[in-house]
Amino acid sequence: MGNEKRSNFTGKLGFVLAAAGSAVGLGNIWRFPYLAAQYGGGIFLLVYVILAVTFGFTLLTAEIAIGRKTGLSAIGAFKKLSSKYSFVGYLASIVPIIILPYYCVIGGWVTKYFASFIAGQGSLMATDAFFGSFIGQPIEPVLWFAIYLGLTALVVLFGVEKGIEKVSKVLMPVLIVLSIFIAVYTMFLPGAMEGVSYYLLPDFSKFSITTVLAAMGQLFYSMSLAMGIMITYGSYMKKDVNLESSVHQIELFDTGIAFLAGLMIIPSVFVFSGGDESALGQGPGLMFVTLPKVFESMTGGTIIGILFFLLVLFAALTSSISLMETIVSIFCDKFKISRKKSCLFVFVLSLVLGIPSSLGNGIWANIKIMGMDFLTFFDFISNSVIMPVVAFFTSIFVGYVIKPKSVIDEVELTGKFKSKALFNFVIKYFAPICIVLILISSVFSALGIISI
Ligand code: PFF
């Protein structure tokens, strides 16, 4: 990328909004609620928030500072600071390549739901079988996936992401207001309070190491960490922008939207499942199964449904655009090809990689990798394996190779680093030890050596 692009973010607001645009997406609205439902509700929320303010804060600060210090994106940045560690940059770059295809499969589901609400199929969508029979088909979900992926590719190809981002910046506050409205509405439905307490009150007997692993993977995913993206964003950030308070704002925005999504979706599971708690463990389909039921029970539910899925679509698009943009520029740089060629290549590659994730819910459902369907496997390998490894090396790199001081100096260009002690402790000890323990236990449990 040329130098003129590196000074893109004119001020703090521009930077925070752009980084939040990448961070806030399906991870917050689709992924967070089903994980929270699956991993014990309140205990997952508690672990997540603790990790967000320690780990999340520290890694986000480190990545943005590395980017701003070097003015380069991940591969170049690690190489410049210490050539021995350039493998971390490469490893980080693999993550978006794995995530983009299945992200767009889910994006396709959102597009389908938006279209179906417009077509007035709200009542049909509120039936139990609708979602399962839709994703189980061989052709239709693949077509919606291709449409969504194509939309993302067109925006990246024509470089109109600024337009999309502008629209989305107006729509994001609307999403927040609408989510609050839906959450409050659901809370007053009979049986909802049980769900609210399941989500908000931690039950410590539900705590396990997998809760921490799932929360950590979700944190990386949601804040676009451990995949080089925030390093790239940091490289665009001006030196006179306050890095620490920008990090706090991105964190607050990202965690706030995830929290609201949970408050909207989890209680409605209790309202509409007739007390059947197994509905909590249904995984990726949770949002698609429960929300149409909420909308169906509302007056004006069709309009709310259209609006909601439109907003989610925009939130998802700003994220998938930033994922594709990253991959396209890596390929441009590596293979010295034009942007157009690179874009076409990434489109075809993602289409090929995404089809198994879509078919894995239907005709390929019996093909399992380590007991997982394709989508779950891609999600697992990126979030629970590669991203923790990248985060581990990033913390070792900052803690012991370039030393925390180099990040601290970068943060202190605009004044005192208030959470310096926390940063130091997390980057040197808490992060690496925690990640190693969690990785070891998850590998052992995957191999069946211990059960957790
Ligand atoms: N953080 C995004 C989300 O929560 O939906 C997902 C994501 C977007 C990850 C962009 C990585 C990325 F580059």
Side-chain angles (χ1 to χ4, degrees):
M1 272 180 229
N3 271 337
E4 69 284 6
K5 266 212 135 177
R6 294 259 171 237
S7 52
N8 249 345
F9 302 133
T10 37
K12 181 174 171 204
L13 189 67
F15 174 76
V16 170
L17 288 178
S22 163
V24 175
L26 294 172
N28 309 60
I29 304 159
W30 154 75
R31 201 172 185 276
F32 181 86
Y34 87 70
L35 288 180
Q38 203 166 345
Y39 289 99
I43 190 69
F44 181 87
L45 183 63
L46 180 68
V47 171
Y48 184 85
V49 171
I50 292 174
L51 289 180
V53 296
T54 51
F55 246 60
F57 167 76
T58 302
L59 274 176
L60 194 52
T61 305
E63 292 199 7
I64 295 175
I66 289 175
R68 187 166 79 173
K69 200 178 183 71
T70 56
L72 296 168
S73 44
I75 296 180
F78 278 102
K79 201 183 267 167
K80 180 170 176 183
L81 293 170
S82 162
S83 59
K84 248 173 63 192
Y85 276 77
S86 52
F87 75 94
V88 186
Y90 285 102
L91 204 57
S93 309
I94 298 173
V95 178
I97 301 175
I98 301 175
I99 292 185
L100 180 68
Y102 84 81
Y103 200 87
C104 292
V105 170
I106 317 287
W109 298 351
V110 172
T111 320
K112 153 82 181 176
Y113 268 54
F114 170 60
S116 301
F117 269 110
I118 290 188
Q121 294 182 335
S123 315
L124 187 64
M125 295 160 81
T127 55
D128 276 330
F130 183 85
F131 178 71
S133 68
F134 162 62
I135 60 165
Q137 290 167 42
I139 309 283
E140 204 195 333
V142 175
L143 287 180
W144 287 108
F145 155 57
I147 290 173
Y148 181 89
L149 179 66
L151 212 60
T152 305
L154 278 181
V155 175
V156 174
L157 183 62
F158 290 109
V160 289
E161 50 262 57
K162 287 279 155 316
I164 298 283
E165 271 166 26
K166 273 207 187 95
V167 179
S168 134
K169 255 139 243 177
V170 180
L171 293 182
M172 275 314 103
V174 184
L175 177 67
I176 297 179
V177 174
L178 189 69
S179 303
I180 295 176
F181 169 76
I182 299 171
V184 171
Y185 170 85
T186 312
M187 248 184 256
F188 286 100
L189 292 174
M193 273 307 146
E194 207 187 321
V196 174
S197 47
Y198 176 79
Y199 180 49
L200 297 182
L201 304 176
D203 172 355
F204 289 91
S205 71
K206 294 207 169 86
F207 179 84
S208 78
I209 199 85
T210 41
T211 318
V212 186
L213 181 68
M216 193 168 74
Q218 172 60 17
L219 178 72
F220 297 151
Y221 187 92
S222 186
M223 289 195 185
S224 307
L225 291 171
M227 48 186 119
I229 305 248
M230 286 300 168
I231 299 184
T232 309
Y233 275 75
S235 72
Y236 299 146
M237 187 191 208
K238 284 198 164 169
K239 294 276 186 194
D240 59 357
V241 170
N242 187 318
L243 205 152
E244 187 177 12
S245 69
S246 304
V247 167
H248 283 311
Q249 284 172 8
I250 299 167
E251 252 186 316
L252 190 69
F253 213 35
D254 192 65
T255 310
I257 295 199
F259 173 76
L260 275 177
L263 200 56
M264 185 166 61
I265 291 170
I266 294 177
S268 52
V269 178
F270 283 76
V271 174
F272 295 103
S273 69
D276 172 16
E277 288 217 359
S278 69
L280 286 168
Q282 61 183 284
L286 194 67
M287 167 178 109
F288 296 94
V289 173
T290 53
L291 285 182
K293 295 183 201 251
V294 178
F295 300 151
E296 179 63 11
S297 76
M298 283 176 173
T299 9
T302 302
I303 306 284
I304 304 280
I306 295 174
L307 190 60
F308 179 81
F309 279 99
L310 178 71
L311 297 170
V312 176
L313 190 59
F314 270 95
L317 271 174
T318 51
S319 296
S320 54
I321 290 164
S322 92
L323 278 167
M324 189 182 269
E325 184 70 60
T326 312
I327 309 172
V328 166
S329 65
I330 291 172
F331 286 169
C332 280
D333 290 353
K334 266 282 125 203
F335 304 122
K336 309 269 175 278
I337 50 176
S338 71
R339 213 181 138 72
K340 207 167 153 184
K341 274 206 187 109
S342 174
C343 209
L344 191 68
F345 179 64
V346 175
F347 174 76
V348 175
L349 181 72
S350 305
L351 197 60
V352 172
L353 290 177
I355 287 175
S357 293
S358 184
L359 296 183
N361 297 296
I363 53 171
W364 285 2
N366 52 351
I367 307 178
K368 300 271 188 240
I369 314 169
M370 291 164 65
M372 293 173 252
D373 61 70
F374 283 103
L375 196 154
T376 316
F377 174 73
F378 286 132
D379 189 81
F380 170 79
I381 204 81
S382 49
N383 292 281
S384 301
V385 182
I386 309 180
M387 281 144 87
V389 172
V390 171
F392 171 77
F393 282 113
T394 307
S395 52
I396 295 293
F397 181 71
V398 175
Y400 301 94
V401 181
I402 61 170
K403 302 277 163 33
K405 192 174 176 307
S406 56
V407 166
I408 293 167
D409 288 347
E410 186 65 35
V411 175
E412 294 199 325
L413 287 179
T414 52
K416 201 170 150 36
F417 186 1
K418 296 195 197 83
S419 309
K420 185 156 63 181
L422 174 78
F423 175 82
N424 242 318
F425 173 73
V426 175
I427 206 87
K428 285 180 86 163
Y429 310 108
F430 183 64
I433 293 173
C434 230
I435 299 172
V436 165
L437 289 180
I438 288 167
L439 268 177
I440 291 176
S441 55
S442 76
V443 169
F444 278 4
S445 91
L447 297 176
I449 295 173
I450 53 170
S451 78
I452 45 176

